[in-house]
Amino acid sequence: MKAILDLCVVPMGVGVSVSKYIAACEKVLKDAGLKTQLHAYGTNIEGEWDDVMAAVKRCHEVVHEMGVPRISTTIRVGTRVDRSQTRSDKIKSVEEKLD
Amino acid sequence: MKAILDLCVVPMGVGVSVSKYIAACEKVLKDAGLKTQLHAYGTNIEGEWDDVMAAVKRCHEVVHEMGVPRISTTIRVGTRVDRSQTRSDKIKSVEEKLD
Amino acid sequence: MKAILDLCVVPMGVGVSVSKYIAACEKVLKDAGLKTQLHAYGTNIEGEWDDVMAAVKRCHEVVHEMGVPRISTTIRVGTRVDRSQTRSDKIKSVEEKLD
Amino acid sequence: MKAILDLCVVPMGVGVSVSKYIAACEKVLKDAGLKTQLHAYGTNIEGEWDDVMAAVKRCHEVVHEMGVPRISTTIRVGTRVDRSQTRSDKIKSVEEKLD
């Protein structure tokens, strides 16, 4: 089952600057071989459900290992069985309607 | 790694009435032996990360098997390593401050 | 326009214990006269869109006034124009299918 | 109060193809003069809280006017009072740690 996921990891209890933890998550996702795109409030990820979710779990593990006591993450995850659709298909489909 | 998760499954392409699909997800969660609490915009789930996430995946599979072509789910998931905390601990902690 | 909203306010930069800030938000919502239900990962709120959103903004203001430098909030918000539906209608509709 | 928001509008009851409704929301946001960036699972928006939230409401109104009976939207919204931060600041901050 293919999934398109949007991940936003929020480290708690470590001050207001959290970019180093987000960078660590980006590395986890890259190391997992997943296609990703960082944006200003999360990261788009595309892949097989199991691969994507294993990477999300690894993000939590790595961020805790860096000393973060608590994490509150939000995820949007979409699956469809009517046809295949990539992240760029989704964006292109909206942009075509904007022309 | 223990997790407290809030799950909101949104079936698309099957009309506005989606409660039967949400009920099917509730059954999946119960069958998985997870502690859950349905609310008006999702379901609280408590358990081991792997068990909870396996049940979330099973929800997508079951809802697709019921004929839903597309699903957009949102998840909040919290982990903490400083101490253990249950769902009822979280609610009790807020309610104590309200007294 | 009526809305059913689920609110989860995450204070950042103030340690791992955040229940006093959540309690302050609960007071804001009550003072606004809104119907609410606290759960383990957020609060269900029901009311007119403008009233609900004004209260959400007030939550951010109050939590910042308490000394929180940064807040990351997640919201689910549903509107429908085909028929009216309350929070308890939504839960009842799922529970009927579970019987 | 400045806000950085991530918006994901999910139209329900109108089939699986929803890009025309997302395109309509993009137009609402542009017409409101807001800085935005579409991604594969939502849209980043930056501006004053009131302006951003007024545009989110207008998205719901416009999509309902297009014939969509039900909408389930998810929002991440961040505010901070310790310093100003733009969307590009957030991305740059992570990318610097990746080098």
Side-chain angles (χ1 to χ4, degrees):
Chain A
M1 185 166 56
K2 296 274 183 192
I4 296 180
L5 187 142
D6 192 58
L7 175 69
C8 178
V9 173
V10 178
M12 296 174 71
V14 287
V16 290
S17 292
V18 298
S19 54
K20 70 175 172 180
Y21 307 108
I22 306 308
C25 291
E26 292 299 299
K27 282 175 192 159
V28 166
L29 299 172
K30 299 294 180 204
D31 289 349
L34 295 164
K35 297 176 196 164
T36 67
Q37 179 61 53
L38 178 69
H39 60 79
Y41 220 133
T43 302
N44 296 162
I45 313 171
E46 185 181 327
E48 283 294 323
W49 178 287
D50 288 344
D51 298 338
V52 174
M53 285 300 188
V56 171
K57 182 188 178 188
R58 186 76 194 122
C59 288
H60 271 245
E61 289 171 340
V62 164
V63 173
H64 280 313
E65 284 163 14
M66 291 171 78
V68 176
R70 186 176 186 178
I71 305 171
S72 188
T73 285
T74 58
I75 294 168
R76 296 178 187 129
V77 55
T79 55
R80 60 192 304 176
V81 293
D82 56 329
R83 66 180 182 88
S84 68
Q85 187 186 41
T86 63
R87 291 167 301 148
S88 56
D89 290 337
K90 289 184 74 176
I91 292 173
K92 198 176 160 193
S93 184
V94 173
E95 286 176 344
E96 283 169 357
K97 270 83 175 179
L98 283 172
D99 289 340
Chain B
M1 185 166 56
K2 296 272 183 192
I4 297 180
L5 187 142
D6 192 59
L7 176 70
C8 177
V9 173
V10 177
M12 297 174 70
V14 287
V16 290
S17 292
V18 297
S19 53
K20 71 175 172 180
Y21 307 108
I22 306 308
C25 291
E26 291 298 300
K27 283 176 190 158
V28 165
L29 300 172
K30 299 294 181 204
D31 289 349
L34 295 165
K35 296 176 197 164
T36 66
Q37 179 61 52
L38 178 69
H39 60 81
Y41 221 133
T43 303
N44 296 161
I45 314 171
E46 186 181 326
E48 283 295 322
W49 179 287
D50 288 345
D51 298 339
V52 173
M53 285 301 187
V56 171
K57 182 187 178 188
R58 186 77 194 122
C59 288
H60 272 245
E61 290 172 340
V62 164
V63 172
H64 280 312
E65 285 163 13
M66 292 171 77
V68 175
R70 186 175 186 177
I71 305 171
S72 188
T73 286
T74 58
I75 294 168
R76 296 179 188 128
V77 55
T79 55
R80 60 191 304 176
V81 293
D82 57 328
R83 67 181 182 87
S84 68
Q85 186 185 41
T86 63
R87 291 167 301 147
S88 55
D89 290 337
K90 289 184 74 176
I91 292 173
K92 198 176 159 194
S93 184
V94 174
E95 287 177 343
E96 283 169 357
K97 270 83 175 180
L98 284 171
D99 289 339
Chain C
M1 185 166 57
K2 296 274 184 194
I4 296 181
L5 187 141
D6 192 59
L7 176 69
C8 178
V9 173
V10 177
M12 297 173 71
V14 286
V16 290
S17 292
V18 298
S19 55
K20 71 174 172 180
Y21 306 109
I22 307 308
C25 291
E26 291 299 298
K27 283 177 191 158
V28 165
L29 299 172
K30 298 294 181 204
D31 289 349
L34 294 164
K35 296 175 197 165
T36 67
Q37 179 62 52
L38 178 69
H39 60 80
Y41 221 134
T43 302
N44 295 162
I45 313 171
E46 184 180 328
E48 283 294 323
W49 178 288
D50 289 345
D51 298 339
V52 173
M53 285 300 188
V56 171
K57 181 188 179 188
R58 187 75 194 123
C59 288
H60 271 244
E61 290 172 339
V62 164
V63 172
H64 280 312
E65 285 164 12
M66 291 171 79
V68 175
R70 187 174 185 179
I71 305 170
S72 188
T73 285
T74 57
I75 294 168
R76 295 181 188 127
V77 55
T79 55
R80 58 191 305 176
V81 294
D82 56 328
R83 67 180 183 89
S84 69
Q85 187 185 41
T86 64
R87 291 168 301 148
S88 54
D89 290 337
K90 289 184 73 175
I91 292 174
K92 200 177 159 192
S93 183
V94 174
E95 287 176 343
E96 282 169 358
K97 271 84 176 179
L98 284 172
D99 288 340
Chain D
M1 186 167 55
K2 296 275 183 190
I4 296 180
L5 187 142
D6 192 59
L7 176 69
C8 177
V9 172
V10 178
M12 296 173 71
V14 286
V16 290
S17 292
V18 298
S19 54
K20 71 175 172 181
Y21 307 109
I22 306 308
C25 291
E26 290 299 299
K27 283 177 191 157
V28 166
L29 299 172
K30 298 294 181 205
D31 289 350
L34 294 164
K35 295 174 198 166
T36 66
Q37 179 62 52
L38 177 70
H39 59 81
Y41 221 133
T43 302
N44 295 162
I45 314 171
E46 185 180 327
E48 283 295 321
W49 178 287
D50 288 345
D51 298 338
V52 174
M53 285 301 188
V56 171
K57 182 188 179 187
R58 187 74 194 124
C59 288
H60 271 244
E61 289 172 339
V62 164
V63 172
H64 281 311
E65 285 163 13
M66 291 170 79
V68 176
R70 187 175 185 178
I71 305 170
S72 188
T73 286
T74 57
I75 294 169
R76 295 180 188 128
V77 55
T79 55
R80 59 192 304 176
V81 295
D82 56 328
R83 66 180 182 88
S84 68
Q85 188 185 40
T86 64
R87 290 168 301 148
S88 54
D89 290 337
K90 288 184 75 176
I91 292 174
K92 199 177 159 192
S93 183
V94 173
E95 287 176 344
E96 282 169 357
K97 270 84 176 179
L98 285 171
D99 289 340

